[in-house]
Each structure stands twice: as C-alpha cells, then as structure tokens.
Amino acid sequence: DDESTEPEADELARERERADRRQLGELAAARERENQAAERDAIARLIGSYDDYVGRVVRVRVFDENDREDIAQGVRLRLVRTLLRQSSFDVPFFAVVRRSLNNELVDYFRRHGRNREDATDELPATAADAPRDPAERMDALGDLLLRDALAHLSQRDRDVLGAKLLLGLSGPEIARQFGMSESNVNVRVHRALRMLRRILRGDV
C-alpha cells in the first residue's frame, strides 16, 4: 500500500537528514578546533554511512566486480574532496552523494563506450529510497533479478537502453552515437523495456 508507506518513508528521510546534519556539525566543529584527526574521522564516518547505498546502486549497473569497486572508490574520493572544501550545503547531503555517484557512473560508461552494461532504473531520488540495512534481503533479491533480466537482452539493446535511461541522451543523440535511425532507437528502447517487464513479471 503506497499511501500507508509514505509517512514512514518521509520519516526515514528526515532521520537520514538529521544524522547527516549531526555528522556535518561534528566535521565543522573539528575543523574549527583545527583537530585534523577528528576531521578525518568525521569525514570517514559520514562517507562510510553511504557505502551500502553506493554499493547497491553500482551492483545493478555494472557487472564486473573490479569495476564496481573502482566506481565505489571513485565516489568516495569525490566526496572526500567535497568535504575537504566545505562542511555545509544548500541541499541535503544525500543529494551531494547522489550527484557524485551519478557523475562517477557517467564517467565510467563514457570511458567504456559501447561495451558498457547498463541498468535501467534511475538513482533513488530521496534519502528515503536509500537502503538503511545491509541485510535487506528483498533489496538484494531485486538486484539479482534485475541483473539477470538485463543479461537476457542483447548487448546493443543494453547499450541503447543505458544511453537513454542512465546517460539521458535524446533519441537523435543515441542514433548518431550508434549509427542507426531514430526510429530504430525508439523501437529498441520500447522492445527492451517490454522484455524486461515480462522477465521481471515471470512471463519469460
């Protein structure tokens, strides 16, 4: 029941934001005292609290285990650089993490060109969508199901779908990148999404 879970999701989002503000306050206080050890600890705790979220998102977008760890490490480095410059933000810190993760994924897929293996869902839009318990078995099961479903698509369909949904490219941009007509792009996207829905429903 979506309506019954909305208040719970909102409260979880608020809890996440309160925890982030508390840790950012500790970082600011350590910086004010010029306590570098405390500053490093505060940064490590804050970034570490998002390790599970980052790992979960990367798992459903990248198949290679080594690449996953490289991406996760890249996100950590981006966040470290950001937190070394500032300890207060105009947006919830979750948005900062989400932006860093999105940028790292975009860079990864651009480097890998047409060999990328993309997932089809977008990054969670709010802190309430981020996983809070590493032992959330249903989330892990969902990741496996999505990865298995993607494996049933052709490489070209995964490429086109990833360019559309992950990189946000338009139909004409995808057509130019892959050397196909825009109508062919639309057909591939529609066909791939329809196949994924059928697989995930158990029809295939």
Side-chain angles (χ1 to χ4, degrees), residues 71-92:
I71 292 169
Q73 184 61 25
V75 174
R76 294 184 199 109
L77 291 174
R78 286 176 185 265
L79 292 173
V80 166
R81 287 194 293 267
T82 298
L83 289 169
L84 286 174
R85 293 194 304 268
Q86 61 190 106
S87 57
S88 63
F89 301 91
D90 296 331
V91 297

Side-chain angles (χ1 to χ4, degrees), residues 147-173:
R147 286 169 52 198
D148 183 63
L150 286 167
H152 285 77
L153 301 180
S154 69
Q155 181 67 57
R156 177 56 66 91
D157 284 351
R158 287 202 300 268
D159 288 343
V160 170
L161 198 58
K164 177 73 172 176
L165 298 181
L166 181 63
L167 299 182
L169 300 184
S170 66
E173 289 172 328

Side-chain angles (χ1 to χ4, degrees), residues 3-71:
E3 292 184 2
S4 65
T5 59
E6 275 187 19
E8 180 182 356
D10 290 343
E11 180 56 31
L12 289 169
R14 287 192 289 269
E15 286 180 12
R16 174 80 260 186
E17 290 185 30
R18 285 194 292 268
D20 289 346
R21 284 198 299 269
R22 184 170 59 252
Q23 294 188 75
L24 286 169
E26 293 173 1
L27 171 59
R31 194 163 286 162
E32 182 73 21
R33 299 193 307 270
E34 298 184 354
N35 187 331
Q36 293 184 350
E39 181 179 352
R40 286 196 300 270
D41 287 346
I43 289 175
R45 284 196 304 275
L46 180 54
I47 294 175
S49 69
Y50 280 95
D51 279 350
D52 180 57
Y53 164 65
V54 171
R56 178 184 179 230
V57 171
V58 172
R59 276 201 309 278
V60 298
R61 285 163 174 76
V62 179
F63 291 171
D64 185 89
E65 188 67 38
N66 292 327
D67 288 346
R68 290 177 193 163
E69 182 51 39
D70 288 344
I71 292 169

Side-chain angles (χ1 to χ4, degrees), residues 84-139:
L84 286 174
R85 293 194 304 268
Q86 61 190 106
S87 57
S88 63
F89 301 91
D90 296 331
V91 297
F93 187 69
F94 178 80
V96 178
V97 175
R98 186 175 184 270
R99 182 176 64 237
S100 298
L101 176 54
N102 183 69
N103 290 341
E104 192 67 27
L105 284 167
V106 168
D107 286 351
Y108 168 79
F109 287 119
R110 284 176 176 162
R111 287 196 304 271
H112 285 69
R114 290 163 65 174
N115 291 323
R116 61 187 175 273
E117 296 172 318
D118 307 306
T120 61
D121 53 336
E122 298 194 4
L123 302 186
T126 70
D129 298 320
R132 291 158 296 279
D133 181 359
E136 288 177 343
R137 296 177 182 175
M138 291 307 295
D139 286 340

